[in-house]
Structures are given as structure tokens and as C-alpha cells.
Amino acid sequence: MAAALALLGRAAGLVTGAQRLLRVGGSAERCLSRGISSDERPKRPLTAYFRFLKENHSAFRQNNPEMSNVELVRKIAGAWKELPPSQKQVYEEARKTDWQRYEEQLAAYKAQLTPAQAAALKEERRKRLAKRRSFRAKRELTVLGKPKRPRSGFNIFVSENFQESEGISPVAKLKKLFDAWRKLSSSQKQPYLQLAEDDKVRYENEMKSWEAKMVELGREDLIRSRRQRPKTKTAETAKKAETAKASSHENKAKLKLKKSEE
């Protein structure tokens, strides 16, 4: 099961990765057609500490080959803290010189942009920062141990059958499984739908415990609002909802497969 789930994750990553490359490629093509590129923007100069880190990393690595990267950076940070102010000033002066050069280059770069180009680059930067914030938020939730969302019946079916599925590529395997799922009768799908319902119960129980812990930590901002919390459903209503959700997952999977084949 674990191996199948890992393969499924890699397969989904390949599909979304291909779609991301297409989107990035299209964005780059549009930027080139406008004659602008954020890659041409002058890079911010390094801080005094990062200059020290870059300059001394090789020597510290040579003297401490057994250390991991994290341990090595910590050791360098400790050395920076113990560095006399007079020696730190050398790195700070280099930073100031580079900063002055950076501001001049940045002014020249902005001066050559048309208003439309400046607006396009600003929007590109806004999206990049938003994506970075989203990544950091997801990473924080992972560190805090937020429970994984429940899987649908279709997800469970794929994870259990992915490894044995025919197909020379992950996308081909997913296509085969998608077709196989659609051909299953209601009675054949029922065990997977029931497992999905059980996973929902697991998720809700874990979320209640996790949210209680977040309250203790003073992180009420991570608690779901009442609107986000699921309402109690009858068995019949829950079955209909799960069937509809499974159908939705089928449609999404079908769309991903279609895009990956284009």
C-alpha cells in the first residue's frame, strides 16, 4: 500500500509538473514577446553574514567533512557571532558598496520599462510572492502536524491498484485506472466509498484533537470556521454526497489526463 501511494504521488507530480511547465513556458513566451524579463532585474546584494558564509563555506566543509549541511551552517553562524566587530565591518562595507551599485543598476533597469512592462513585471512578482507565501503556509501546517485530508473512493481505488495497473508511464496507468473505475458497478465501488467514509471519520476526529492543540498553542487563526465544519448527515445523504464527490474526482482526473495528453 505504501509503495502504491508513493507511486501515485509521483504520478500526480508528473502530471501537474508537466502542466506547470506548459504554464511557465507560456508566461515566458509572453514576456519575451513584450521584450521584458524579470531575470534581467538586478539582484539584491548579499548581507554581511551571507558574504561571510559564502566566503568561508568551503573551508569549513574541508575541516568538517563529517557534518551535515545543517550542522555546518550552524557552525558557521556560531563563528560569525564570535567574529570581532572590526572584522564584521569589512563585510558590512562590502555590502554597502554593492548596495549603492545595485540601486544605480535598478534605477537604470526601471527607466527602460514602459508602463505596461512595469505593470506586467509587478504582477509577475505579486504572483511569485503569493506562491511563496502559500508554500510557507503549507509547510508550517505540515510541521504543526495537521491531519491529512480524507481520500475519496476513487483515490483509494487508484492507490490500491496503481502498482499492478498496465501502462508504461504513470499517466498511462492513471488513464487505465480511470477507465476501470468508470466501468465498475455501484456495488463494486461501494467498498471504496465505505473506506472513504471511514477516512472522513478519521479526519474529523484527528482534526478535533489537532484544533484543540492549536488553541492551547494560541493559534486560533488555524481553526476552521463553523461554515467549514461538516454537518451531521444521515446515512443516505452521506452516501449521495460521497457518490457526487467521487464523480467530481473522476471529472478532475479526466481533465488532468486530457491536458497531459495534449
Side-chain angles (χ1 to χ4, degrees):
M1 173 69 76
L5 284 172
L7 283 169
L8 176 61
R10 286 197 291 271
L14 285 172
V15 175
T16 54
Q19 294 170 347
R20 190 180 300 113
L21 283 173
L22 289 173
R23 289 196 298 270
V24 171
S27 176
E29 185 178 348
R30 287 193 296 273
C31 282
L32 287 172
S33 67
R34 291 194 297 263
I36 59 173
S37 172
S38 57
D39 293 335
E40 298 173 9
R41 181 188 176 96
K43 306 300 181 185
R44 280 175 172 266
L46 296 175
T47 64
Y49 166 68
F50 277 107
R51 287 171 185 277
F52 176 80
L53 175 65
K54 184 178 180 180
E55 185 178 299
N56 294 277
H57 186 274
S58 296
F60 272 82
R61 168 55 70 195
Q62 190 173 357
N63 295 330
N64 303 277
E66 76 289 349
M67 282 190 175
S68 67
N69 288 332
V70 174
E71 291 172 336
L72 192 66
V73 169
R74 285 175 180 168
K75 187 174 183 64
I76 297 174
W80 170 257
K81 288 181 179 179
E82 296 175 2
L83 202 67
S86 59
Q87 293 184 35
K88 284 185 178 181
Q89 187 61 29
V90 175
Y91 294 97
E92 182 59 31
E93 290 298 328
R95 183 201 68 81
K96 289 180 179 179
T97 300
D98 279 359
W99 186 265
Q100 184 176 357
R101 186 185 304 114
Y102 163 74
E103 288 185 325
E104 293 171 356
Q105 292 174 344
L106 183 61
Y109 171 76
K110 289 182 175 180
Q112 68 180 348
L113 300 176
T114 65
Q117 290 173 335
L121 287 173
K122 185 177 181 180
E123 177 63 14
E124 181 185 338
R125 176 177 171 79
R126 185 193 67 79
K127 289 181 179 180
R128 187 168 61 250
L129 292 176
K131 186 176 181 180
R132 189 180 302 168
R133 284 194 295 268
S134 175
F135 173 78
R136 287 175 178 171
K138 289 179 181 179
R139 184 172 59 184
E140 181 186 27
L141 292 176
T142 300
V143 172
L144 291 173
K146 185 177 182 180
K148 292 184 178 180
R149 295 187 65 82
R151 296 178 296 162
S152 68
F154 175 66
N155 290 148
I156 296 172
F157 172 77
V158 171
S159 67
E160 288 190 354
N161 296 280
F162 187 83
Q163 198 166 15
E164 294 78 19
S165 176
E166 297 179 359
I168 56 177
S169 69
V171 173
K173 285 177 176 285
L174 283 174
K175 190 177 187 307
K176 286 282 186 181
L177 289 171
F178 175 73
D179 293 338
W181 173 260
R182 293 187 66 186
K183 293 176 182 177
L184 291 181
S185 64
S186 298
S187 59
Q188 289 174 316
K189 289 182 179 180
Q190 186 53 39
Y192 299 103
L193 298 179
Q194 183 57 55
L195 286 173
E197 282 297 316
D198 295 342
D199 202 31
K200 278 186 182 179
V201 175
R202 182 273 311 165
Y203 174 73
E204 283 306 315
N205 290 337
E206 290 182 359
M207 278 298 294
K208 288 178 182 177
S209 299
W210 184 78
E211 288 181 334
K213 183 179 178 181
M214 291 303 101
V215 171
E216 292 177 1
L217 294 174
R219 294 302 306 272
E220 287 84 356
D221 57 304
L222 300 178
I223 307 302
R224 295 172 297 175
S225 65
R226 291 185 178 276
R227 290 182 180 180
Q228 293 174 308
R229 296 175 185 175
K231 297 178 181 179
T232 305
K233 302 176 182 177
T234 63
E236 183 177 357
T237 305
K239 184 177 179 180
K240 289 180 179 179
E242 181 56 37
T243 302
K245 185 176 180 180
S247 177
S248 174
H249 280 282
E250 289 178 34
N251 293 333
K252 289 180 180 179
K254 186 176 181 180
L255 181 61
K256 284 185 178 181
L257 289 170
K258 184 177 180 181
K259 288 183 177 180
S260 66
E261 293 172 349
E262 291 177 350

